[in-house]
Amino acid sequence: MTDVLPPASHAGVKNRLAITLGHYSSAGAKLENQDFHGALQPEGADLAAKGIVLCLADGISTSALGATAAETAVKTFLSDYYCTSPAWSVRTSAERVIAATNSWMHAQNRRVLGPVPSDSERERGLVCTFSALILKSRSAHVFHIGDAQVARISGQSVEPLTELHRVDLGGGESYLGRAMGVNRAVEIDYRQVPLVPGDLFMLSTDGVHEYLSARMIVDIIEAAATLDVAARIIAATAQAGGSGDNLTVQLVRIESLPDGGIEDLVGAETSLPPASVLAEGQGFEGYTILRQIHSGSRSHVYLACDDASGAEVALKILSTELAEDPAALSSLLLEEWILRRLDHPNLLRAATHYRARRFAFSVSQYVAGQSLHAWMLDHPMPDLATVREVVKQLASGLQALHRREMVHRDIRPHNVLLDRDGRAIIIDFGSVQVAGLDELAQRPLEAAFAGTIQYSAPELYLGYPATRQSDLYSLGVVAYQMLTGHLPYGPRVAAAGTRAAQRKLTYTPVMHYNPDVPDWMDAAIRKAVNLDPARRYGELSEFVVDLTKPNASLAPAGLMPLFQRGSVRAWKIVSGILAAALLASLLTRPDVAGPSPTPEQEIIP
Amino acid sequence: MSYLAPSEFVTKLVDAGESKILMSTKDTLIRAYMAGATLALAAAFAVTINVQTGQPLAGAVLFPVGFCILYLLGYDLLTGVFVLAPLAVWDKRPGCTWNGVLRNWGLVFVGNFAGALTTAVMMAVYFTYGFSTDPSEVGQKLAGIGVARTLGYEQYGAAGWLTIFVRGMLCNWMVSTGVVGAQVSTSVSGKVIAMWMPIMLFFYMTFEHSIVNMFLFPTALMMGGAFTLGDYFWWNEVPTVLGNLVGGVTFTGLMLYSTHIRTSPKRQAAGLKVAA
């Protein structure tokens, strides 16, 4: 983690996620303990971004490898979960890790047992149940496969948050319906529940919860001095109640919760005072301001020189109006947090160096170049290859964002820089929506409407959240505008705030403004900017490919009405010639051209 | 009270201009209608004060309340959009064209006129007990204003027309400065103070304001002012609108845009370092 934690004096006053743990595991009546459990309670940025993990696994008793399977599942989960991107949601992170562990176990089993093992052979491999409880911000996330249990204990009741994946054969016989390592893909139950301080959760294997009533569990916990003691007594009571299985219990009590905001992540920086407008030559926080790059009603961006390293950086501060706005401040600080997690040639990079700060601002790499907006004004009719290249690069940058479960939400020509090598770089990340952070705090959608509104997808005006398809729409509009200088639905998409109003918007084919564009490229753009997000491309890469070569499945090529298809200029020329001919014929008419001599006049001298 | 840096509030003006051009017809008309009606009411208020106190300064000092009300409520005056809308086109905002600007101006003109006329009719009823008596003192004063500022100009011919045009220019120089004033501060009190000063100035100087006149002259006609509708349009409204347009665009819009958005590079004095 590259984040620098806030100074202790600041951190002390803030609420944080704190828990009390208790756990116990024993072989019980059996010889070997095939259960395995673990918990990890990280500090600092990991605590905010990924949360606290508790998990347990129960190795299948028919297999000699049951214990190994359980240990592998738990240890892998604890280490790999914290290696996933902090931008990912808890669900994505955990499910990816579980799926990977499952397929590794499955592959091991197949290697040993052959491609098509019988049911009895299958039961001898690496097979186990797996249940995890992840506490992040103000929510608990439950992941579950098999017949262990995660339960919430509130008052006198024990509420199971999971169901047993068990198939009953009758006569007391049953087998595990779902487990890790059995199939190539594993279906994982997921559930999210809100947390309140004082919440108590119990994770237990089937040897425990099947032999105890809710009443007994509650009484034991109430009577016990600590949760560790409670866990031990619960296990002992289950064994005394007739359990012949391994016994594992984990108890966790929520002592305090964080405020649930991005402050949990970027630390006390949100309480830093805003910087005032800077001047050229001014020294600021170890940087020297060289010149102003951008100045607007929302922010100011300066080219600055890092006094320590001599590197040129772009330094961004909030405008006077937004300086007091906590949401704007969060966006500014998050922008740098996001940059630090991205590494892609078409995305702006964070500045390499980080120092503690006295004012709130963000620093990034400086890219010398021209905004796409300015470039478009210089090149009103660019060649198709250039447009394709820019769109391809932007799509590539967006894909990198989307893989991290981020949605940009503000793709527009002002937010794209073309550097001196012709590379297109997405520069502004102030509106980016990050799945992993939305679990901390829902940020206002307003950010999506920052700046110009012509590139936001129409579904956003209906109040729907932004998706990857919204970014695709924006990219489609940028492509359309590069080719034509116009907007696909005219300037009034933002004014259409209802579905009915949106249905009245009509798409103008690219060829209407630029007859040089082939109709199959128009078909691709038309699909990318479809008003209905479900009818756009599923993937950005499909759009890029369809811009490069005709896609036969798209486009009623050649079926367009004549007046839409033809070049306006040709019709103007034809009309001009006809008008000229008409004028000529009028002027040469006998009654207009003046009296021509009549025979009588010729006779008269 | 926070004061915004010029580059910040001018960008906000451009943003405002963009949103005016892209606004739906319905919203444009409603906002223009209410702006016209509100400003007309403030004009009636100011004339009433002048008649009752006999002191024109008193009316001018208090007239800006109408302007402040309508700007705080987000309504649009023709004089304001004359300045705001072209900024978005100059800044090459996507979808902002001169066609869009003309459409906006046309709609706002219609809305303002309808609003001012509504107030005029209501005030006429008020001044005459529903057209059953002679106009009150204020009504007679209004009729007098109507004659003086149409036929009064007409007697000077082209020079009179030019005078109205120039008074219109001076008017919107000040009024649009009020529009800018609404953006230089982030607090309501700051906005009100910044709007108040130029509006007070224009009203006391009897500069010609197209929307105020949309109230004054129809009321004057209803109060029995001895001039025709044709006189009103040709010897007042038309030159006033044109003067407002030229004054607002040149003195305010173009000036702010060319210095605060298209800022020229600083001159470098030889041997001097730029001080922080």
Side-chain angles (χ1 to χ4, degrees), chain A residues 277 279-283 292 295-297 300 318-321 373 377 414 451-455 481 487 491-492 495, chain B residues 2-5 7-8 11-12 15 18 21-24 91-96 100 103 186 266 268 274-276:
Chain A
V277 177
E280 282 177 21
Q282 183 180 347
Q292 191 171 58
S295 177
S297 57
H300 301 275
L318 287 177
S319 68
T320 319
E321 187 175 12
H373 174 77
L377 295 175
H414 283 96
T452 77
I453 49 184
Q454 297 295 357
Y455 304 90
Q481 208 192 5
L487 298 161
R492 288 186 200 285
Chain B
S2 40
Y3 164 74
L4 301 186
S7 61
E8 293 175 341
T11 335
K12 290 187 71 172
D15 292 344
E18 183 183 353
I21 295 179
L22 301 179
M23 199 185 290
S24 70
D91 204 38
K92 302 200 169 57
R93 292 292 173 93
C96 294
R103 167 187 170 279
T186 55
K266 281 207 178 81
Q268 292 285 339
V274 182

Side-chain angles (χ1 to χ4, degrees), chain A residues 7-88:
Chain A
S9 58
H10 288 281
V13 295
K14 292 200 63 66
N15 293 328
R16 53 196 297 270
L17 180 59
I19 57 163
T20 318
L21 263 178
H23 54 93
Y24 180 77
S25 183
S26 85
K30 289 193 172 176
L31 291 174
E32 187 195 8
N33 189 355
Q34 291 184 316
D35 290 351
F36 202 88
H37 70 282
L40 211 151
Q41 208 179 336
E43 284 295 317
D46 270 354
L47 176 64
K50 306 305 289 185
I52 296 169
V53 175
L54 286 88
C55 57
L56 57 75
D58 180 357
I60 189 168
S61 52
T62 51
S63 166
L65 294 173
T68 318
E71 184 176 348
T72 307
V74 169
K75 284 185 170 170
T76 314
F77 189 80
L78 288 179
S79 60
D80 289 3
Y81 172 76
Y82 289 99
C83 296
T84 55
S85 163
W88 276 2

Side-chain angles (χ1 to χ4, degrees), chain B residues 60-61 64 67-68 174-175 177-178 181 184 190-204:
Chain B
V61 166
F67 190 83
C68 293
M174 281 299 104
V175 174
T177 303
V184 301
K191 282 174 190 277
V192 167
I193 292 171
M195 284 189 277
W196 205 281
M197 299 181 290
I199 305 300
M200 180 171 71
L201 193 158
F202 114 74
F203 200 85
Y204 186 73

Side-chain angles (χ1 to χ4, degrees), chain A residues 319-532:
Chain A
S319 68
T320 319
E321 187 175 12
L322 292 182
E324 307 292 333
D325 179 1
L329 187 60
S330 297
S331 286
L332 180 78
L333 297 175
L334 261 188
E335 194 171 347
E336 196 171 316
W337 185 91
I338 289 165
L339 290 182
R340 289 184 180 285
R341 273 144 194 90
L342 298 172
D343 181 19
H344 189 275
N346 299 115
L347 299 175
L348 189 68
R349 288 166 207 269
T352 46
H353 188 63
Y354 187 91
R355 283 189 292 267
R357 293 170 185 177
R358 288 182 298 127
F359 292 97
F361 62 95
S362 80
V363 185
S364 69
Q365 169 205 27
Y366 170 67
V367 179
Q370 191 181 22
S371 82
L372 183 58
H373 174 77
W375 186 88
M376 277 159 50
L377 295 175
D378 291 350
H379 303 83
M381 286 284 165
D383 60 288
L384 300 183
T386 314
V387 176
R388 284 191 194 113
E389 184 57 30
V390 170
V391 171
K392 185 177 136 196
Q393 293 191 22
L394 294 180
S396 169
L398 283 175
Q399 281 173 316
L401 268 182
H402 292 170
R403 274 197 293 275
R404 286 167 182 78
E405 281 200 90
M406 298 181 186
V407 180
H408 189 279
R409 299 204 294 187
D410 195 19
I411 290 291
R412 55 191 165 104
H414 283 96
N415 285 346
V416 174
L417 277 185
L418 298 179
D419 77 1
R420 292 188 180 124
D421 308 323
R423 203 153 47 106
I425 299 167
I426 300 171
I427 54 166
D428 193 305
F429 295 84
S431 303
V432 171
Q433 169 187 303
V434 188
L437 301 188
D438 285 359
E439 292 174 339
L440 288 178
Q442 286 292 333
R443 290 194 294 146
L445 195 71
E446 200 188 337
F449 299 102
T452 77
I453 49 184
Q454 297 295 357
Y455 304 90
S456 291
E459 65 267 21
L460 302 186
Y461 297 108
L462 300 179
Y464 290 98
T467 61
R468 292 181 304 154
Q469 267 60 44
S470 318
D471 279 354
L472 170 66
Y473 175 91
S474 307
L475 184 61
V477 175
V478 170
Y480 188 100
Q481 208 192 5
M482 286 181 79
L483 290 167
T484 64
H486 290 81
L487 298 161
Y489 297 98
R492 288 186 200 285
V493 175
T498 60
R499 271 196 202 286
Q502 287 189 353
R503 270 195 291 274
K504 286 188 198 144
L505 297 168
T506 48
Y507 175 85
T508 311
V510 176
M511 294 81 80
H512 178 80
Y513 301 110
N514 186 349
D516 299 338
V517 177
D519 54 1
W520 51 267
M521 261 180 98
D522 174 64
I525 293 175
R526 184 195 285 255
K527 182 167 165 113
V529 300
N530 198 304
L531 292 171
D532 178 2

Side-chain angles (χ1 to χ4, degrees), chain B residues 3-262:
Chain B
Y3 164 74
L4 301 186
S7 61
E8 293 175 341
F9 71 71
V10 178
T11 335
K12 290 187 71 172
L13 292 173
V14 181
D15 292 344
E18 183 183 353
S19 74
K20 304 288 177 219
I21 295 179
L22 301 179
M23 199 185 290
S24 70
T25 307
K26 180 200 85 182
D27 290 336
T28 311
L29 281 175
I30 293 176
R31 292 174 199 199
Y33 179 85
M34 284 312 295
T38 312
L39 196 73
L41 202 56
F45 168 64
V47 173
T48 307
I49 294 172
N50 287 355
V51 169
Q52 289 176 355
T53 63
Q55 173 51 268
L57 184 62
V61 166
L62 292 171
F63 171 72
V65 286
F67 190 83
C68 293
I69 292 171
L70 73 94
Y71 260 90
L72 293 178
L73 293 182
Y75 298 146
D76 291 320
L77 284 177
L78 184 63
T79 42
V81 294
F82 273 161
V83 176
L84 296 176
L87 291 174
V89 180
W90 290 329
D91 204 38
K92 302 200 169 57
R93 292 292 173 93
C96 294
T97 58
W98 286 112
N99 273 343
V101 172
L102 291 175
R103 167 187 170 279
N104 175 257
W105 289 352
L107 289 174
V108 173
F109 180 88
V110 171
N112 282 170
F113 210 112
L117 217 52
T118 308
T119 305
V121 170
M122 291 196 291
M123 289 313 293
V125 170
Y126 166 62
F127 291 140
T128 61
Y129 288 94
F131 300 104
S132 53
T133 65
D134 281 342
S136 64
E137 202 185 341
V138 179
Q140 288 166 12
K141 167 84 175 170
L142 279 167
I145 292 177
V147 176
R149 281 162 61 181
T150 51
L151 305 180
Y153 289 121
E154 191 182 4
Q155 59 182 307
Y156 298 102
W161 206 91
L162 176 71
T163 308
I164 316 176
F165 179 81
V166 170
R167 283 200 194 189
M169 278 178 68
L170 291 164
C171 170
N172 206 23
W173 171 16
M174 281 299 104
V175 174
S176 57
T177 303
V179 175
V180 177
Q183 304 281 9
V184 301
S185 170
T186 55
S187 66
V188 171
S189 49
K191 282 174 190 277
V192 167
I193 292 171
M195 284 189 277
W196 205 281
M197 299 181 290
I199 305 300
M200 180 171 71
L201 193 158
F202 114 74
F203 200 85
Y204 186 73
M205 298 296 289
T206 54
F207 294 155
E208 298 286 348
H209 189 283
S210 49
I211 295 110
V212 172
N213 291 2
M214 289 172 189
F215 163 75
L216 289 180
F217 293 84
T219 313
L221 282 171
M222 284 185 274
M223 295 297 109
F227 62 102
T228 64
L229 205 58
D231 287 335
Y232 159 49
F233 275 103
W234 183 244
W235 288 105
N236 190 288
E237 193 63 39
V238 172
T240 301
V241 168
L242 293 177
N244 284 173
L245 171 63
V246 173
V249 169
T250 51
F251 282 120
T252 309
L254 211 48
M255 295 298 172
L256 284 173
Y257 185 80
S258 39
T259 184
H260 287 317
I261 290 201
R262 297 266 168 268

